[in-house]
Amino acid sequence: MMTGRRDGPLMRSGSSSHSFRKSRIAVAIAVGIAIGCVFAFLLPDGLFSVAGPPLRSGRLIKADFQGESSSSSGESSERMSMLKSEYVAVSQKNAELKKEVRELIEKLKLAEQGKDQAQKQVLALGKQQKAGPFGTVKGSRANPTVVPDESVNPRLAKILEKVAVNRELIVALANLNVKEMLEVWFTNIKRVGIPNYLVVALDEDIAKFCESNSVPVYKRDPDEGVDSIGKTGGNHAVSGLKFRILREFLQLGYSVLLSDVDIVYLQNPFDHLYRDSDVESMTDGHDNRTAYGFNDVFDEPRMGWARYAHTMRMWVYNSGFFYLRPTIPSIELLDRVAARLSREKAWDQAVFNEELFFPSHNGYDGLHAARRTMDFYLFMNSKVLFKTVRKDTSLNKIKPVIVHVNYHPDKLPRMKAVVEFYVNGKEDALKPFPDGSDW
């Protein structure tokens, strides 16, 4: 009982206090809701509106609107017109900026492609490695081939699928001006048994002539300007045209052995290629020094002690017979030569060699292409044959792969004489011709 009397008042006091606290909280909540409603009504955009000055009550806004509607209708129309004009101007400026950004991105891409290209090509061939012991280090000579892109010329791609062997073939350009030489050309190719060759016909007559002789032929689609050169141009004009045409073959992923038609085939050239370089070409040189290079000493006596200057020299590659692998440097070579010939009045062979051999220097980036010179006794020019080989009883027993009648204007009779000498065994077939030309 004593315990009950002591605890009773305490418990009643605690219950009363607890009820009082609950009522205070309820009052606070109610006051907060009321204040919130007031602010929501008076300030529908909030206390910190960023779009213009604080709003007034609905009653004041209505009064202002009724008082100013008549005077502001004209101003609103003018304002809308001004805003539309500004919008159009901003849209045009935005389009111009987007175009400039795209152009800048393209320029950056091109600059990035050109930067450290040699190093990128090396990295593309494999991972970086340490140098080996002295005398064992050899750099890579073969650039990777491009990914074939049949969208470049689907019609040509289908022809090459049938004609090429191991994705390589001989290609010659011809128009009606070289019909007789072309016949000697493909007759000997057939005799040797070379299946992978193609004539790019530059006019309809040659296309029909090839078809009638069961010669693989490709007639290009009409191309204004280019076609006029192909149909009526002489040897040099057609020779310049080939650099543009060959690009598609490489883009399609095929290796090309470009051949002029003043060439007699005596063996299959594909059995004698190394395929370790971007460009493998026959030479205009006539001996080891001129064909493969030599140290030539230039003498200038007035320089006294320094009168002798050493130079490295070699005779040029022949632009009428060369093998190209489908690599980026090979395609770049074709682009460079074709671009220069389109704006310069120059000999294609000179431009071909300048782009191949001139090194990088101030204001000029040289071509990073691997090169190989063909054996000049196997891939023989007509100077070697008529000046040296035919007079040497040891050398004239060697059967060349091809003979290119590039040094002489009387091409057709010399081509026929080459066939008589090497194919039919007529020993005196080459004797009637002079070493050089009569003019």
Side-chain angles (χ1 to χ4, degrees):
M1 294 295 294
M2 290 178 63
T3 304
R5 282 192 298 269
R6 284 195 300 267
D7 293 343
L10 182 61
M11 291 296 292
R12 286 193 297 271
S13 176
S15 175
S16 175
S17 176
H18 181 66
S19 298
F20 178 72
R21 282 197 300 271
K22 283 185 176 180
S23 62
R24 283 198 301 173
I25 292 172
V27 170
I29 292 173
V31 172
I33 291 173
I35 293 173
C37 291
V38 172
F39 273 95
F41 177 76
L42 296 177
L43 303 173
D45 292 333
L47 286 171
F48 304 101
S49 174
V50 294
L55 295 175
R56 293 166 291 178
S57 67
R59 188 181 302 170
L60 291 175
I61 292 173
K62 186 176 180 180
D64 289 346
F65 178 76
Q66 290 175 345
E68 297 176 2
S69 59
S70 59
S71 62
S72 63
S73 59
E75 294 178 2
S76 298
S77 178
E78 292 179 2
R79 181 62 177 168
M80 286 298 295
S81 299
M82 186 181 299
L83 288 173
K84 287 181 180 179
S85 300
E86 291 177 356
Y87 176 78
V88 171
V90 170
S91 298
Q92 292 176 347
K93 186 63 177 178
N94 188 40
E96 293 175 0
L97 288 173
K98 285 182 178 179
K99 182 179 178 181
E100 291 177 2
V101 168
R102 286 195 298 269
E103 291 176 352
L104 286 173
I105 290 173
E106 290 299 321
K107 289 180 180 179
L108 286 172
K109 286 181 179 179
L110 292 174
E112 183 62 26
Q113 290 174 359
K115 183 181 178 183
D116 298 330
Q117 184 177 4
Q119 182 179 357
K120 289 178 182 178
Q121 289 176 348
V122 171
L123 292 175
L125 296 176
K127 62 181 181 180
Q128 290 179 299
Q129 54 186 338
K130 294 181 179 179
F134 179 81
T136 65
V137 177
K138 288 188 177 181
S140 175
R141 287 158 177 77
N143 283 299
T145 57
V146 299
V147 177
D149 182 7
E150 293 189 2
S151 66
V152 170
N153 191 330
R155 185 166 66 87
L156 178 59
K158 290 181 180 180
I159 295 174
L160 297 182
E161 285 179 6
K162 298 177 182 178
V163 174
V165 175
N166 296 324
R167 299 193 70 83
E168 59 185 8
L169 73 161
I170 299 170
V171 176
L173 278 66
N175 60 18
L176 196 58
N177 293 336
V178 296
K179 180 179 178 180
E180 291 181 304
M181 285 191 290
L182 178 64
E183 186 172 13
V184 177
W185 181 85
F186 66 65
T187 298
N188 283 278
I189 284 180
K190 290 181 177 181
R191 181 185 52 77
V192 172
I194 303 169
N196 48 332
Y197 69 101
L198 181 70
V199 174
V200 177
L202 301 177
D203 56 47
E204 194 62 38
D205 290 332
I206 285 296
K208 292 179 180 178
F209 177 66
C210 289
E211 290 169 356
S212 65
N213 286 276
S214 300
V215 172
V217 63
Y218 164 62
K219 179 68 168 63
R220 297 174 56 254
D221 292 329
D223 187 350
E224 187 176 353
V226 173
D227 281 332
S228 63
I229 296 173
K231 292 176 182 178
T232 62
N235 286 342
H236 287 302
V238 172
S239 188
L241 176 62
K242 67 193 173 194
F243 295 99
R244 294 180 59 178
I245 296 176
L246 288 181
R247 192 187 205 275
E248 290 186 348
F249 287 80
L250 299 190
Q251 284 182 278
L252 293 170
Y254 289 86
S255 297
V256 175
L257 182 58
L258 185 280
S259 173
D260 283 352
V261 295
D262 57 344
I263 292 176
V264 176
Y265 284 80
L266 302 169
Q267 298 184 61
N268 191 329
F270 294 109
D271 296 336
H272 300 271
L273 297 175
Y274 285 80
R275 301 174 179 84
D276 63 347
S277 303
D278 301 298
V279 183
E280 197 167 342
S281 177
M282 75 171 294
T283 174
D284 273 1
H286 59 92
D287 55 23
N288 285 336
R289 283 164 50 85
T290 56
Y292 309 133
F294 62 101
N295 183 1
D296 186 37
V297 180
F298 176 77
D299 184 10
E300 191 174 11
R302 66 177 183 172
M303 288 299 295
W305 176 81
R307 64 183 291 180
Y308 300 111
H310 290 256
T311 68
M312 299 306 300
R313 298 186 62 189
M314 61 176 285
W315 287 24
V316 296
Y317 282 175
N318 190 284
S319 63
F321 191 86
F322 56 82
Y323 178 80
L324 293 180
R325 293 176 59 248
T327 65
I328 293 297
S330 295
I331 295 173
E332 184 183 359
L333 171 65
L334 296 178
D335 287 352
R336 285 181 177 223
V337 176
R340 284 188 55 186
L341 291 176
S342 68
R343 63 177 184 266
E344 299 176 18
K345 192 173 182 180
W347 182 26
D348 70 281
Q349 181 159 293
V351 175
F352 177 71
N353 280 272
E354 289 171 1
E355 293 299 334
L356 264 179
F357 289 99
F358 280 179
S360 297
H361 53 271
N362 294 342
Y364 176 79
D365 291 327
L367 181 71
H368 297 282
R371 306 176 299 269
R372 171 178 282 274
T373 305
M374 294 176 174
D375 186 319
F376 70 91
Y377 282 129
L378 293 180
F379 298 91
M380 189 181 298
N381 61 58
S382 56
K383 179 175 183 176
V384 173
L385 175 62
F386 287 97
K387 183 181 177 183
T388 305
V389 169
R390 68 172 175 167
K391 302 174 185 177
D392 190 305
T393 55
S394 297
L395 292 176
N396 64 25
K397 298 294 189 294
I398 300 173
K399 189 176 184 178
V401 177
I402 59 113
V403 173
H404 188 180
V405 187
N406 60 316
Y407 269 99
H408 300 89
D410 50 341
K411 296 180 181 298
L412 185 60
R414 290 191 188 242
M415 288 177 72
K416 292 179 178 179
V418 169
V419 175
E420 290 294 323
F421 182 78
Y422 283 109
V423 178
N424 300 327
K426 188 176 180 180
E427 295 183 358
D428 61 348
L430 302 176
K431 289 182 180 179
F433 299 94
D435 289 354
S437 61
D438 294 330
W439 51 275

